[in-house]
Amino acid sequence: MPLVSMRQLLDEAAKGGYGVGAFNVNDMEQIQAIMAAAVETKSPVIIQASRGARQFAQDRYLYHLILAAAELHPEVPIAMHQDHGNSFETCKSAMELGFTSVMMDGSLQADGKTPASFEENVEVTRRVVDYAHERGVTVEGEIGVLGGIEDGHGAGGTGLEHITEPDQAVEFAERTGVDALAIAIGTSHGAYKFTKKPDGSVLKMDVLIEIHKRLPHTHLVMHGSSSVPKDLQDIVNQYGGKLKETWGVPVEEIQLGIRNGVRKINVDTDNRLAMTGAIRKVLWEHPEKFDLRDYMKPAREAMQKLVSQRMREFGQAGHFGDYKPASIEEIAAGYRSGKLDTRPSLAGAR
Ligand code: 13P
């Protein structure tokens, strides 16, 4: 099966009332872990690469590795997504390479650090939407600003500084026509999200629920959704790591989000922790080993285990054969005809 549109994956998820994990990748082993989990759980998947990942791996390598995944597993619908594009040019280059979905993160300026104005965000996102939809490519936008920094991208802070305002979310969706919308509800990228198990004072699920009520036809995206499980932290620390005590987003909060319009859930840190813990364990217990397969194989297995678990928890498991993936040309025709228009004033009228 060729790579498919993320829009179709999310539309189907909305129909089925489930969420789809979007897992970040940097190398072959991570792609293999995700595919093994997708096959094991019969899940559609979103594989995403940040700008940092595209630089690290050289994006043509990543693209061809993901094509290999599609070739080897034609039964799995795979959307290939640019995570946190910082400019029109970054998104355009991803589309030229063959990504079927891009995130234009106009919540920050092109430096990837400074919060942008609402008007700047609308303008750049609208430009990407126009360009992408003509080509059948899905667009995710962001309104409000996430906390933390990942791969050098992010405004820093706790995630509470720029919580999304529901009114702005509605105006943003109307003026940009994005397919999916990332909102800021107190989460942040990386391992250090919360200093204790989060409650409603720091994880604003009420804001998410309000936005979904106002924008029932827009697919919501939760970034910074790693749960940073204690057992994964413990493995890293048991074998020489030095992680400080920390809390992530509890899976039950993500599931509450899924019941309220969340269709895409971004997870990176948990997989990093799973792989790092497995590698540390091998090298700690067998300091004489130096064949990378001795530690990359357990690392890949640890990531597969975690991704499979998340696929079951998000509800995407079992859904990979529910629908016939449309071609990117068919999706482009859907945008042209207005059938796939998401602007609240039009989507509500359909
Ligand atoms: P985590 O750091 O919580 O895994 O979030 C990843 C993410 O949101 C990528 O865009």
Side-chain angles (χ1 to χ4, degrees):
M1 186 186 297
L3 299 175
V4 304
S5 147
M6 187 171 86
R7 172 64 187 276
Q8 190 185 16
L9 251 65
L10 301 185
D11 283 352
E12 291 292 336
K15 275 190 227 157
Y18 59 89
V20 184
F23 302 101
N24 287 76
V25 295
N26 298 277
D27 71 0
M28 178 182 78
E29 285 79 3
Q30 291 186 305
I31 295 169
Q32 291 174 332
I34 295 168
M35 292 312 295
V39 170
E40 183 192 330
T41 63
K42 301 187 168 24
S43 297
V45 288
I46 300 167
I47 301 181
Q48 61 184 10
S50 64
R51 267 191 306 143
R54 285 177 64 190
Q55 265 162 19
F56 168 78
Q58 295 181 21
D59 48 17
R60 195 153 279 278
Y61 279 108
L62 277 186
Y63 175 66
H64 284 279
L65 286 168
I66 296 172
L67 280 193
E71 213 174 287
L72 286 169
H73 301 289
E75 72 282 21
V76 180
I78 306 171
M80 181 175 173
H81 177 75
Q82 160 82 58
D83 191 23
H84 292 286
N86 63 321
S87 65
F88 176 81
E89 285 68 31
T90 299
C91 293
K92 182 167 175 267
S93 72
M95 293 182 236
E96 282 165 357
L97 190 62
F99 283 59
T100 57
S101 179
V102 294
M103 175 184 195
M104 177 60 235
D105 179 0
S107 72
L108 299 176
Q109 293 180 3
D111 66 3
K113 291 181 175 49
T114 316
S117 72
F118 180 72
E119 289 302 325
E120 285 169 326
N121 191 357
V122 167
E123 195 185 308
V124 69
T125 307
R126 179 74 232 171
R127 198 171 156 218
V128 171
V129 168
D130 286 344
Y131 188 87
H133 283 183
E134 256 177 53
R135 292 159 179 78
V137 173
T138 310
V139 181
E140 172 186 340
E142 175 166 325
I143 183 75
V145 183
L146 271 255
I149 298 180
E150 191 184 25
D151 286 352
H153 181 101
T158 62
L160 283 174
E161 283 108 66
H162 304 278
I163 297 286
T164 305
E165 289 172 25
D167 281 348
Q168 275 205 340
V170 175
E171 188 182 342
F172 187 79
E174 185 64 40
R175 288 177 60 192
T176 60
V178 286
D179 300 282
L181 185 59
I183 54 172
I185 53 165
T187 66
S188 50
H189 292 122
Y192 299 104
K193 301 181 195 304
F194 303 109
T195 51
K196 58 183 173 47
K197 189 173 178 199
D199 58 20
S201 66
V202 288
L203 180 59
K204 304 279 185 194
M205 296 307 291
D206 53 335
V207 173
L208 184 148
I209 291 168
E210 176 63 21
I211 293 172
H212 176 54
K213 273 196 201 129
R214 308 271 298 273
L215 281 177
H217 303 285
T218 302
H219 302 306
L220 300 182
V221 183
M222 262 176 94
H223 278 245
S225 295
S226 278
S227 298
V228 199
K230 176 90 170 64
D231 58 333
L232 293 185
Q233 295 179 44
D234 287 347
I235 294 174
V236 171
N237 286 340
Q238 188 182 342
Y239 299 104
K242 283 202 166 53
L243 294 172
K244 288 176 280 174
E245 199 175 34
T246 178
W247 274 262
V249 183
V251 169
E252 61 272 19
E253 301 288 356
I254 297 172
Q255 290 169 330
L256 172 65
I258 293 169
R259 291 196 293 280
N260 287 279
V262 170
R263 299 294 157 230
K264 175 173 180 274
I265 303 114
N266 284 18
V267 175
D268 186 359
T269 297
D270 282 354
N271 290 323
R272 293 178 174 191
L273 289 173
M275 291 187 90
T276 299
I279 292 168
R280 279 192 172 279
K281 182 169 189 296
V282 173
L283 296 181
W284 181 272
E285 288 177 344
H286 302 281
E288 74 287 359
K289 288 198 188 270
F290 57 89
D291 180 342
L292 97 166
R293 291 169 297 188
D294 288 338
Y295 51 86
M296 289 311 286
K297 188 163 178 282
R300 188 171 59 190
E301 285 163 2
M303 176 161 162
Q304 177 187 345
K305 184 164 167 252
L306 189 104
V307 172
S308 293
Q309 187 186 335
R310 293 288 179 264
M311 286 172 161
R312 293 194 179 96
E313 290 164 341
F314 298 162
Q316 72 204 82
H319 284 289
F320 77 2
D322 288 1
Y323 49 93
K324 182 177 165 297
S327 69
I328 292 299
E329 292 71 30
E330 285 169 308
I331 298 288
Y335 288 124
R336 260 197 308 278
S337 70
K339 202 174 117 221
L340 294 178
D341 203 315
T342 55
R343 281 173 292 167
S345 56
L346 299 170
R350 275 203 299 274

